[in-house]
Coordinates of all heavy atoms in Angstrom, one line a residue:
M1 N 9.0 3.8 17.6 CA 9.6 3.1 16.6 C 8.9 3.4 15.2 O 7.7 3.3 15.2 CB 9.7 1.6 16.8 CG 10.0 0.8 15.6 SD 10.0 -0.9 15.8 CE 11.6 -1.2 16.3
E2 N 9.7 3.8 14.2 CA 9.1 4.1 12.9 C 9.3 2.9 12.0 O 10.4 2.3 12.1 CB 9.7 5.3 12.3 CG 9.1 5.6 10.9 CD 9.6 6.9 10.3 OE1 9.4 8.0 10.8 OE2 10.4 6.8 9.3
W3 N 8.3 2.5 11.3 CA 8.4 1.4 10.4 C 7.5 1.6 9.2 O 6.6 2.4 9.2 CB 8.2 0.0 11.0 CG 6.8 -0.1 11.6 CD1 6.3 0.4 12.7 CD2 5.8 -0.9 11.1 NE1 5.0 0.0 12.9 CE2 4.6 -0.8 11.9 CE3 5.6 -1.8 9.9 CZ2 3.4 -1.5 11.7 CZ3 4.5 -2.5 9.7 CH2 3.4 -2.3 10.6
L4 N 7.8 0.9 8.1 CA 7.1 1.1 6.8 C 6.5 -0.2 6.4 O 7.0 -1.3 6.6 CB 8.0 1.5 5.7 CG 8.9 2.8 5.9 CD1 9.8 2.9 4.7 CD2 8.0 4.0 6.0
E5 N 5.3 -0.1 5.7 CA 4.7 -1.2 5.0 C 4.7 -0.8 3.5 O 4.2 0.4 3.2 CB 3.3 -1.5 5.5 CG 3.4 -2.1 6.9 CD 2.0 -2.5 7.3 OE1 1.2 -1.5 7.6 OE2 1.7 -3.7 7.5
I6 N 5.2 -1.6 2.7 CA 5.2 -1.3 1.2 C 4.3 -2.3 0.5 O 4.6 -3.5 0.6 CB 6.6 -1.3 0.7 CG1 7.4 -0.2 1.4 CG2 6.6 -1.0 -0.8 CD1 8.9 -0.2 1.1
I7 N 3.3 -1.8 -0.2 CA 2.5 -2.7 -1.0 C 2.7 -2.3 -2.5 O 2.3 -1.2 -2.9 CB 1.0 -2.5 -0.6 CG1 0.8 -2.7 0.9 CG2 0.1 -3.4 -1.4 CD1 -0.5 -2.2 1.4
K8 N 3.2 -3.2 -3.2 CA 3.5 -3.0 -4.6 C 2.4 -3.8 -5.4 O 2.1 -4.9 -5.2 CB 4.9 -3.5 -5.0 CG 5.2 -3.3 -6.5 CD 6.6 -3.8 -6.8 CE 6.9 -3.7 -8.3 NZ 8.1 -4.3 -8.7
V9 N 1.9 -3.1 -6.4 CA 0.8 -3.7 -7.3 C 1.3 -3.6 -8.7 O 1.6 -2.5 -9.2 CB -0.5 -3.0 -7.1 CG1 -1.6 -3.7 -7.9 CG2 -0.9 -2.9 -5.6
R10 N 1.2 -4.7 -9.4 CA 1.4 -4.7 -10.9 C 0.1 -5.1 -11.5 O -0.3 -6.3 -11.4 CB 2.5 -5.7 -11.3 CG 2.6 -5.8 -12.8 CD 3.9 -6.3 -13.3 NE 4.9 -5.2 -13.1 CZ 6.2 -5.4 -13.3 NH1 6.7 -6.6 -13.6 NH2 7.0 -4.4 -13.1
T11 N -0.6 -4.2 -12.1 CA -1.9 -4.4 -12.7 C -1.7 -5.1 -14.1 O -0.6 -5.1 -14.6 CB -2.7 -3.2 -12.9 OG1 -2.0 -2.3 -13.8 CG2 -3.0 -2.5 -11.6
G12 N -2.7 -5.7 -14.6 CA -2.7 -6.4 -15.9 C -2.4 -5.4 -17.0 O -2.4 -4.2 -16.9
S13 N -2.1 -6.0 -18.2 CA -1.9 -5.1 -19.4 C -3.2 -4.6 -20.0 O -4.2 -4.8 -19.4 CB -1.1 -6.0 -20.4 OG -1.9 -7.1 -20.8
T14 N -3.1 -4.0 -21.1 CA -4.3 -3.4 -21.8 C -5.4 -4.4 -21.8 O -5.2 -5.6 -22.2 CB -3.9 -3.0 -23.2 OG1 -2.7 -2.1 -23.1 CG2 -5.0 -2.2 -23.8
G15 N -6.6 -3.9 -21.5 CA -7.8 -4.7 -21.5 C -8.1 -5.4 -20.2 O -9.3 -5.7 -20.0
D16 N -7.2 -5.5 -19.3 CA -7.5 -6.0 -18.0 C -8.0 -4.9 -17.1 O -8.0 -3.7 -17.5 CB -6.2 -6.6 -17.3 CG -5.8 -7.9 -18.0 OD1 -6.7 -8.5 -18.7 OD2 -4.7 -8.3 -17.8
R17 N -8.4 -5.2 -15.9 CA -8.9 -4.2 -14.9 C -7.7 -3.2 -14.6 O -6.6 -3.7 -14.3 CB -9.4 -4.8 -13.7 CG -10.6 -5.7 -13.9 CD -11.1 -6.2 -12.6 NE -11.9 -5.2 -12.0 CZ -12.7 -5.4 -11.0 NH1 -12.9 -6.6 -10.5 NH2 -13.4 -4.5 -10.5
K18 N -8.0 -2.0 -14.6 CA -7.0 -1.0 -14.3 C -7.5 -0.2 -13.1 O -8.7 0.0 -12.9 CB -6.7 0.0 -15.4 CG -6.0 -0.7 -16.6 CD -5.3 0.3 -17.4 CE -4.4 -0.5 -18.3 NZ -3.2 0.2 -18.7
I19 N -6.6 0.4 -12.3 CA -6.9 1.2 -11.2 C -6.8 2.7 -11.7 O -5.7 3.1 -12.2 CB -5.9 1.0 -10.0 CG1 -6.0 -0.4 -9.6 CG2 -6.3 2.0 -8.9 CD1 -4.9 -0.8 -8.5
D20 N -7.9 3.4 -11.7 CA -7.8 4.8 -12.3 C -7.4 5.7 -11.2 O -7.4 5.4 -10.0 CB -9.1 5.2 -12.9 CG -10.3 5.3 -11.9 OD1 -10.1 5.2 -10.7 OD2 -11.4 5.5 -12.4
A21 N -7.1 7.0 -11.6 CA -6.5 8.0 -10.6 C -7.6 8.3 -9.6 O -7.2 8.5 -8.4 CB -6.1 9.2 -11.4
E22 N -8.8 8.4 -9.9 CA -9.9 8.8 -9.0 C -10.0 7.7 -7.9 O -10.2 8.0 -6.7 CB -11.2 9.0 -9.7 CG -11.3 10.3 -10.4 CD -11.0 11.5 -9.5 OE1 -11.5 11.6 -8.4 OE2 -10.1 12.3 -10.0
Y23 N -9.9 6.5 -8.3 CA -10.0 5.4 -7.3 C -8.8 5.5 -6.3 O -9.0 5.3 -5.1 CB -10.0 4.0 -8.0 CG -10.0 2.8 -7.1 CD1 -11.1 2.4 -6.5 CD2 -8.8 2.1 -6.9 CE1 -11.1 1.3 -5.6 CE2 -8.8 1.0 -6.0 CZ -10.0 0.6 -5.4 OH -10.0 -0.5 -4.5
L24 N -7.6 5.8 -6.8 CA -6.5 5.9 -6.0 C -6.6 7.1 -5.0 O -6.3 7.0 -3.8 CB -5.2 6.1 -6.8 CG -4.8 4.8 -7.5 CD1 -3.6 5.2 -8.4 CD2 -4.4 3.7 -6.6
K25 N -7.2 8.2 -5.5 CA -7.4 9.4 -4.6 C -8.4 9.0 -3.5 O -8.2 9.4 -2.3 CB -7.9 10.5 -5.4 CG -6.9 11.2 -6.3 CD -7.4 12.3 -7.1 CE -6.4 12.8 -8.1 NZ -7.0 13.8 -9.0
R26 N -9.5 8.3 -3.8 CA -10.4 7.9 -2.8 C -9.8 7.0 -1.8 O -10.0 7.1 -0.6 CB -11.7 7.3 -3.5 CG -12.6 8.3 -4.2 CD -13.9 7.7 -4.5 NE -13.8 6.4 -5.2 CZ -13.7 6.3 -6.6 NH1 -13.7 7.3 -7.3 NH2 -13.7 5.1 -7.1
M27 N -9.0 6.0 -2.3 CA -8.4 5.1 -1.5 C -7.4 5.8 -0.5 O -7.4 5.5 0.7 CB -7.6 4.1 -2.3 CG -6.8 3.0 -1.5 SD -5.7 2.0 -2.4 CE -6.8 1.2 -3.5
K28 N -6.7 6.7 -1.0 CA -5.7 7.4 -0.1 C -6.4 8.2 1.0 O -6.0 8.2 2.2 CB -4.9 8.4 -0.9 CG -3.8 9.0 -0.1 CD -2.8 9.8 -0.9 CE -1.6 10.4 -0.2 NZ -1.9 11.1 1.0
K29 N -7.6 8.8 0.7 CA -8.4 9.5 1.7 C -8.9 8.6 2.8 O -9.1 9.0 4.0 CB -9.5 10.2 1.1 CG -9.1 11.4 0.3 CD -10.3 12.2 -0.3 CE -9.8 13.3 -1.1 NZ -10.9 14.0 -1.8
T30 N -9.1 7.3 2.5 CA -9.6 6.4 3.5 C -8.5 5.7 4.3 O -8.8 4.9 5.2 CB -10.5 5.3 2.8 OG1 -9.7 4.5 1.9 CG2 -11.6 5.9 2.1
M31 N -7.3 5.9 3.9 CA -6.2 5.2 4.7 C -5.9 6.0 6.0 O -5.0 6.9 6.0 CB -4.9 5.2 3.8 CG -5.0 4.2 2.7 SD -3.4 3.9 1.9 CE -3.7 4.9 0.4
K32 N -6.7 5.7 7.0 CA -6.6 6.3 8.3 C -6.6 5.2 9.3 O -7.3 4.2 9.2 CB -7.7 7.2 8.5 CG -7.7 8.4 7.6 CD -8.8 9.4 7.9 CE -8.8 10.7 7.1 NZ -8.4 10.7 5.8
A33 N -5.7 5.3 10.3 CA -5.6 4.4 11.4 C -4.8 5.1 12.5 O -4.0 6.0 12.2 CB -4.9 3.1 10.9
P34 N -5.1 4.7 13.8 CA -4.3 5.2 14.9 C -2.8 5.0 14.6 O -2.4 3.9 14.2 CB -4.8 4.5 16.1 CG -6.1 4.0 15.7 CD -6.1 3.7 14.2
E35 N -2.0 6.0 14.8 CA -0.6 5.9 14.7 C 0.0 5.7 13.3 O 1.1 5.4 13.1 CB 0.0 4.8 15.7 CG -0.3 5.1 17.1 CD 0.1 4.0 18.0 OE1 0.1 2.8 17.6 OE2 0.3 4.3 19.2
L36 N -0.9 6.0 12.3 CA -0.4 6.0 10.9 C 0.1 7.4 10.7 O -0.7 8.4 10.7 CB -1.6 5.7 9.9 CG -1.3 5.7 8.5 CD1 -0.2 4.7 8.1 CD2 -2.5 5.5 7.6
A37 N 1.4 7.5 10.5 CA 2.0 8.9 10.3 C 1.8 9.4 8.9 O 1.6 10.6 8.7 CB 3.5 8.8 10.6
D38 N 1.8 8.5 7.9 CA 1.7 9.0 6.5 C 1.3 7.8 5.6 O 1.6 6.6 5.9 CB 3.1 9.5 6.0 CG 3.0 10.3 4.7 OD1 1.9 10.8 4.4 OD2 4.0 10.4 4.1
A39 N 0.6 8.1 4.5 CA 0.2 7.1 3.5 C 0.4 7.8 2.2 O -0.1 8.9 1.9 CB -1.3 6.7 3.7
R40 N 1.2 7.2 1.3 CA 1.5 7.8 0.0 C 1.3 6.7 -1.1 O 1.6 5.5 -0.8 CB 2.9 8.3 0.0 CG 3.2 9.4 0.9 CD 4.6 9.9 0.8 NE 4.8 11.0 1.7 CZ 5.3 12.2 1.4 NH1 5.5 12.4 0.1 NH2 5.4 13.1 2.3
V41 N 0.9 7.2 -2.2 CA 0.7 6.3 -3.4 C 1.6 6.8 -4.5 O 1.6 8.0 -4.8 CB -0.8 6.3 -3.9 CG1 -0.9 5.4 -5.1 CG2 -1.7 5.9 -2.8
Y42 N 2.4 6.0 -5.1 CA 3.4 6.3 -6.1 C 3.1 5.5 -7.3 O 2.7 4.3 -7.2 CB 4.8 6.1 -5.7 CG 5.3 6.9 -4.6 CD1 5.1 6.5 -3.3 CD2 5.9 8.1 -4.8 CE1 5.6 7.3 -2.2 CE2 6.4 8.9 -3.7 CZ 6.2 8.5 -2.4 OH 6.7 9.2 -1.4
T43 N 3.3 6.1 -8.5 CA 3.2 5.3 -9.8 C 4.6 5.2 -10.3 O 5.4 6.1 -10.2 CB 2.2 5.9 -10.8 OG1 2.7 7.3 -11.0 CG2 0.8 5.9 -10.3
N44 N 4.9 4.1 -11.0 CA 6.2 3.9 -11.6 C 6.3 4.8 -12.8 O 5.4 4.9 -13.7 CB 6.3 2.4 -12.0 CG 7.7 2.0 -12.4 OD1 8.4 2.7 -13.2 ND2 8.1 0.9 -11.9
V45 N 7.5 5.5 -12.9 CA 7.7 6.4 -14.0 C 7.9 5.7 -15.4 O 7.7 6.3 -16.4 CB 8.8 7.4 -13.7 CG1 8.4 8.3 -12.6 CG2 10.1 6.7 -13.5
S46 N 8.4 4.5 -15.3 CA 8.6 3.8 -16.6 C 7.7 2.7 -16.9 O 7.6 2.2 -18.1 CB 10.1 3.3 -16.6 OG 10.3 2.4 -15.5
V47 N 7.0 2.1 -15.9 CA 6.0 1.1 -16.1 C 4.7 1.6 -15.7 O 4.4 1.6 -14.5 CB 6.4 -0.2 -15.3 CG1 5.5 -1.3 -15.6 CG2 7.9 -0.6 -15.7
S48 N 3.8 1.9 -16.6 CA 2.6 2.6 -16.3 C 1.6 1.8 -15.5 O 0.7 2.3 -14.8 CB 1.9 3.1 -17.6 OG 1.5 2.0 -18.4
N49 N 1.7 0.5 -15.5 CA 0.8 -0.4 -14.7 C 1.3 -0.8 -13.4 O 0.8 -1.8 -12.8 CB 0.3 -1.6 -15.6 CG 1.4 -2.4 -16.0 OD1 2.6 -2.0 -16.1 ND2 1.1 -3.7 -16.4
D50 N 2.3 -0.2 -12.9 CA 2.9 -0.5 -11.5 C 2.6 0.7 -10.6 O 2.7 1.9 -11.0 CB 4.4 -0.6 -11.6 CG 4.8 -2.0 -12.0 OD1 4.0 -2.8 -12.4 OD2 6.0 -2.3 -11.9
L51 N 2.2 0.4 -9.4 CA 2.1 1.4 -8.3 C 2.5 0.8 -7.0 O 2.6 -0.4 -6.8 CB 0.7 2.0 -8.3 CG -0.4 1.1 -7.8 CD1 -0.7 1.3 -6.3 CD2 -1.7 1.4 -8.6
V52 N 2.8 1.7 -6.1 CA 3.3 1.3 -4.8 C 2.6 2.2 -3.7 O 2.4 3.4 -4.0 CB 4.8 1.3 -4.6 CG1 5.4 2.7 -4.6 CG2 5.2 0.6 -3.4
I53 N 2.2 1.6 -2.6 CA 1.6 2.3 -1.5 C 2.5 2.1 -0.3 O 2.9 1.0 0.0 CB 0.2 1.7 -1.1 CG1 -0.8 1.9 -2.3 CG2 -0.3 2.4 0.1 CD1 -2.1 1.2 -2.2
I54 N 2.9 3.3 0.3 CA 3.8 3.2 1.4 C 3.1 3.8 2.6 O 2.7 4.9 2.6 CB 5.1 4.0 1.1 CG1 5.8 3.4 -0.1 CG2 6.0 4.0 2.3 CD1 7.1 4.1 -0.5
L55 N 3.0 3.0 3.6 CA 2.4 3.3 4.9 C 3.5 3.5 5.9 O 4.3 2.6 6.1 CB 1.4 2.3 5.4 CG 0.3 1.9 4.4 CD1 -0.5 0.7 5.0 CD2 -0.6 3.0 4.1
T56 N 3.5 4.7 6.6 CA 4.6 4.9 7.6 C 3.9 5.0 9.0 O 2.9 5.7 9.2 CB 5.2 6.3 7.3 OG1 5.8 6.3 6.0 CG2 6.3 6.6 8.3
W57 N 4.4 4.1 9.9 CA 3.8 4.0 11.2 C 4.8 4.5 12.3 O 6.0 4.4 12.1 CB 3.5 2.5 11.5 CG 2.5 1.9 10.5 CD1 2.8 1.3 9.3 CD2 1.1 1.9 10.7 NE1 1.6 0.9 8.8 CE2 0.5 1.3 9.6 CE3 0.2 2.4 11.6 CZ2 -0.8 1.1 9.4 CZ3 -1.1 2.3 11.5 CH2 -1.6 1.6 10.4
I58 N 4.2 4.9 13.4 CA 5.0 5.3 14.6 C 4.5 4.5 15.8 O 4.0 5.0 16.7 CB 4.9 6.8 14.9 CG1 3.5 7.3 14.9 CG2 5.7 7.6 13.8 CD1 3.3 8.7 15.3
R59 N 4.7 3.2 15.7 CA 4.3 2.3 16.8 C 5.1 1.0 16.6 O 5.8 0.8 15.7 CB 2.8 2.0 16.8 CG 2.3 1.3 15.6 CD 0.9 0.9 15.6 NE 0.5 0.3 14.4 CZ -0.4 -0.7 14.3 NH1 -1.0 -1.1 15.3 NH2 -0.7 -1.2 13.1
E60 N 4.9 0.1 17.6 CA 5.6 -1.2 17.5 C 5.0 -2.0 16.3 O 3.8 -1.9 16.0 CB 5.4 -2.0 18.8 CG 6.1 -1.4 19.9 CD 7.6 -1.4 19.7 OE1 8.2 -2.4 19.3 OE2 8.2 -0.3 20.1
I61 N 5.8 -2.8 15.7 CA 5.4 -3.7 14.6 C 4.5 -4.8 15.0 O 5.0 -5.6 15.9 CB 6.6 -4.2 13.8 CG1 7.5 -3.1 13.3 CG2 6.2 -5.1 12.6 CD1 8.8 -3.5 12.8
P62 N 3.3 -5.0 14.5 CA 2.5 -6.1 14.9 C 3.0 -7.3 14.1 O 2.9 -7.4 12.9 CB 1.1 -5.7 14.4 CG 1.3 -4.7 13.4 CD 2.6 -4.0 13.7
A63 N 3.6 -8.2 14.7 CA 4.3 -9.4 14.1 C 3.3 -10.5 13.8 O 2.3 -10.6 14.5 CB 5.4 -9.9 14.9
P64 N 3.5 -11.3 12.8 CA 4.4 -11.1 11.7 C 3.7 -10.5 10.4 O 4.3 -10.3 9.4 CB 4.9 -12.5 11.4 CG 3.7 -13.4 11.7 CD 3.0 -12.7 12.8
W65 N 2.4 -10.3 10.5 CA 1.6 -10.0 9.3 C 1.4 -8.5 9.0 O 0.8 -8.2 8.1 CB 0.3 -10.7 9.4 CG -0.4 -10.4 10.7 CD1 -1.1 -9.3 11.1 CD2 -0.3 -11.2 11.9 NE1 -1.5 -9.4 12.4 CE2 -1.0 -10.5 12.9 CE3 0.3 -12.4 12.2 CZ2 -1.1 -11.0 14.2 CZ3 0.2 -12.9 13.5 CH2 -0.5 -12.2 14.4
G66 N 1.9 -7.7 9.9 CA 1.8 -6.2 9.7 C 0.4 -5.7 10.2 O -0.3 -6.3 11.0
S67 N 0.0 -4.5 9.7 CA -1.2 -3.9 10.1 C -2.4 -4.4 9.5 O -2.4 -5.0 8.4 CB -1.1 -2.4 9.8 OG -1.2 -2.1 8.4
D68 N -3.5 -4.2 10.1 CA -4.8 -4.6 9.6 C -5.1 -3.8 8.3 O -5.7 -4.3 7.3 CB -6.0 -4.4 10.6 CG -5.9 -5.4 11.7 OD1 -5.3 -6.5 11.6 OD2 -6.5 -5.1 12.8
L69 N -4.7 -2.5 8.3 CA -4.9 -1.6 7.2 C -4.2 -2.2 5.9 O -4.8 -2.3 4.9 CB -4.5 -0.2 7.5 CG -4.5 0.8 6.3 CD1 -6.0 0.9 5.8 CD2 -4.0 2.1 6.7
A70 N -3.0 -2.6 6.1 CA -2.2 -3.1 4.9 C -2.8 -4.4 4.5 O -2.8 -4.7 3.3 CB -0.7 -3.3 5.3
H71 N -3.2 -5.2 5.4 CA -3.8 -6.5 5.1 C -5.0 -6.3 4.2 O -5.2 -7.0 3.2 CB -4.1 -7.4 6.3 CG -4.7 -8.7 6.0 ND1 -4.0 -9.7 5.5 CD2 -6.0 -9.1 6.2 CE1 -4.8 -10.8 5.3 NE2 -6.0 -10.4 5.7
G72 N -5.9 -5.4 4.7 CA -7.1 -5.1 3.9 C -6.8 -4.6 2.5 O -7.5 -4.9 1.5
L73 N -5.9 -3.6 2.5 CA -5.5 -3.1 1.2 C -5.0 -4.1 0.2 O -5.3 -4.2 -1.0 CB -4.5 -2.0 1.3 CG -5.0 -0.6 1.9 CD1 -3.8 0.3 2.2 CD2 -5.9 0.1 0.9
T74 N -4.1 -5.0 0.8 CA -3.5 -6.1 0.0 C -4.6 -7.0 -0.6 O -4.6 -7.3 -1.8 CB -2.5 -6.9 0.8 OG1 -1.5 -6.0 1.3 CG2 -1.9 -8.0 0.0
Q75 N -5.6 -7.3 0.2 CA -6.7 -8.2 -0.3 C -7.5 -7.5 -1.3 O -7.8 -8.1 -2.3 CB -7.6 -8.6 0.9 CG -6.9 -9.5 1.9 CD -6.2 -10.8 1.3 OE1 -6.9 -11.5 0.5 NE2 -5.0 -11.0 1.5
E76 N -7.8 -6.2 -1.1 CA -8.6 -5.5 -2.1 C -7.8 -5.3 -3.4 O -8.4 -5.5 -4.5 CB -8.9 -4.1 -1.5 CG -9.5 -3.1 -2.5 CD -10.9 -3.5 -2.9 OE1 -11.6 -4.3 -2.3 OE2 -11.4 -3.0 -4.0
L77 N -6.5 -5.0 -3.4 CA -5.8 -4.8 -4.6 C -5.5 -6.0 -5.4 O -5.2 -5.9 -6.6 CB -4.5 -4.0 -4.2 CG -4.7 -2.6 -3.7 CD1 -3.4 -2.1 -3.1 CD2 -5.2 -1.7 -4.8
K78 N -5.6 -7.2 -4.8 CA -5.4 -8.4 -5.6 C -6.4 -8.6 -6.7 O -6.2 -9.3 -7.7 CB -5.5 -9.7 -4.6 CG -4.3 -9.8 -3.8 CD -4.4 -11.0 -2.9 CE -3.2 -11.2 -2.0 NZ -3.3 -12.3 -1.1
R79 N -7.5 -7.8 -6.6 CA -8.5 -7.9 -7.7 C -7.9 -7.2 -9.0 O -8.4 -7.5 -10.1 CB -9.8 -7.1 -7.4 CG -10.5 -7.6 -6.2 CD -11.7 -6.8 -5.8 NE -11.7 -5.4 -6.3 CZ -12.8 -4.7 -6.4 NH1 -14.0 -5.1 -6.0 NH2 -12.8 -3.5 -6.9
Y80 N -6.9 -6.4 -8.9 CA -6.4 -5.7 -10.0 C -5.1 -6.3 -10.6 O -4.6 -5.8 -11.6 CB -6.1 -4.2 -9.6 CG -7.4 -3.5 -9.3 CD1 -7.9 -3.5 -7.9 CD2 -8.2 -3.0 -10.3 CE1 -9.1 -2.8 -7.6 CE2 -9.4 -2.4 -10.0 CZ -9.8 -2.3 -8.7 OH -11.0 -1.7 -8.4
G81 N -4.4 -7.2 -9.9 CA -3.2 -7.7 -10.4 C -2.4 -8.4 -9.3 O -2.9 -8.7 -8.2
L82 N -1.1 -8.5 -9.6 CA -0.2 -9.1 -8.6 C 0.2 -8.1 -7.5 O 0.4 -6.9 -7.8 CB 1.1 -9.5 -9.3 CG 1.0 -10.5 -10.5 CD1 2.3 -10.8 -11.2 CD2 0.4 -11.9 -9.9
V83 N 0.2 -8.6 -6.3 CA 0.5 -7.7 -5.1 C 1.6 -8.3 -4.3 O 1.7 -9.5 -4.1 CB -0.8 -7.6 -4.2 CG1 -0.5 -6.8 -3.0 CG2 -1.9 -7.0 -5.0
D84 N 2.6 -7.5 -4.0 CA 3.7 -7.9 -3.1 C 3.7 -7.0 -1.9 O 3.5 -5.8 -2.0 CB 5.0 -7.7 -3.9 CG 6.2 -8.1 -3.0 OD1 6.2 -9.2 -2.6 OD2 7.1 -7.2 -2.8
Y85 N 3.8 -7.6 -0.7 CA 3.8 -6.9 0.6 C 5.1 -7.1 1.3 O 5.7 -8.2 1.3 CB 2.6 -7.4 1.5 CG 2.8 -6.9 2.9 CD1 2.2 -5.6 3.2 CD2 3.4 -7.6 3.8 CE1 2.4 -5.2 4.5 CE2 3.5 -7.2 5.1 CZ 3.0 -5.9 5.5 OH 3.2 -5.5 6.8
S86 N 5.6 -6.0 1.9 CA 6.8 -6.1 2.8 C 6.7 -5.1 3.9 O 6.1 -4.0 3.7 CB 8.1 -6.0 2.0 OG 8.2 -4.7 1.3
A87 N 7.4 -5.4 5.0 CA 7.4 -4.4 6.1 C 8.9 -4.2 6.4 O 9.8 -5.1 6.3 CB 6.8 -5.0 7.3
W88 N 9.2 -2.9 6.7 CA 10.6 -2.5 6.9 C 10.7 -1.7 8.2 O 9.8 -0.8 8.5 CB 11.0 -1.6 5.8 CG 11.0 -2.3 4.5 CD1 9.9 -2.5 3.7 CD2 12.1 -2.8 3.8 NE1 10.2 -3.1 2.5 CE2 11.6 -3.4 2.6 CE3 13.4 -2.9 4.0 CZ2 12.4 -4.0 1.6 CZ3 14.2 -3.6 3.1 CH2 13.7 -4.1 1.9
S89 N 11.6 -2.0 9.1 CA 11.8 -1.2 10.3 C 13.1 -0.3 10.2 O 14.0 -0.7 9.5 CB 11.9 -2.1 11.5 OG 13.1 -2.9 11.4
C90 N 13.0 0.8 10.9 CA 14.2 1.7 10.9 C 15.3 1.1 11.8 O 15.0 0.6 12.8 CB 13.7 3.1 11.4 SG 14.9 4.3 11.3
M91 N 16.5 1.3 11.3 CA 17.6 0.7 12.1 C 18.2 1.6 13.2 O 19.2 1.4 13.7 CB 18.7 0.3 11.1 CG 18.3 -0.8 10.2 SD 19.6 -1.3 9.1 CE 20.9 -1.9 10.2
D92 N 17.5 2.7 13.5 CA 18.0 3.6 14.5 C 18.1 3.0 15.9 O 17.3 2.3 16.3 CB 17.1 4.9 14.6 CG 17.3 5.8 13.4 OD1 18.4 6.4 13.2 OD2 16.4 5.8 12.6

């Protein structure tokens, strides 16, 4: 079963803590877990302080809180701004 975890982050405005590109690159390299098929980081094209991390899994969904990896990322990213987490399963 394929499913996604989406972590959306809205960082503060000018003067607040920002997540730089190098930090994101290092973070992406550490996103490893058994049965993690893909991990991608996207930035919003119109809102420069928004980003989203999409984790694609090929295993059963651990209910109801999702993966340990997403939970850890969510907690870490709260230092930078508002974080929204959601999990999505494929309807196949």
Side-chain angles (χ1 to χ4, degrees):
M1 164 184 268
E2 183 177 289
W3 62 285
L4 305 174
E5 289 181 292
I6 300 173
I7 303 167
K8 181 180 175 188
V9 183
R10 172 157 289 169
T11 61
S13 59
T14 307
D16 290 343
R17 294 183 82 163
K18 291 206 170 210
I19 302 174
D20 66 9
E22 286 304 312
Y23 178 76
L24 290 175
K25 287 177 188 174
R26 286 191 312 270
M27 180 189 297
K28 187 173 186 308
K29 286 181 182 177
T30 64
M31 286 190 257
K32 294 183 176 31
E35 299 172 335
L36 177 64
D38 195 21
R40 294 179 182 239
V41 179
Y42 296 89
T43 57
N44 191 313
V45 295
S46 60
V47 182
S48 63
N49 58 338
D50 277 9
L51 66 95
V52 68
I53 298 169
I54 300 177
L55 305 175
T56 304
W57 297 92
I58 50 171
R59 65 174 176 148
E60 293 298 316
I61 302 170
W65 49 85
S67 71
D68 291 339
L69 176 60
H71 180 72
L73 287 170
T74 300
Q75 294 305 311
E76 171 68 18
L77 291 167
K78 285 181 180 179
R79 299 180 339 163
Y80 296 95
L82 299 174
V83 177
D84 180 57
Y85 168 85
S86 60
W88 301 78
S89 63
C90 187
M91 293 182 61
D92 289 290

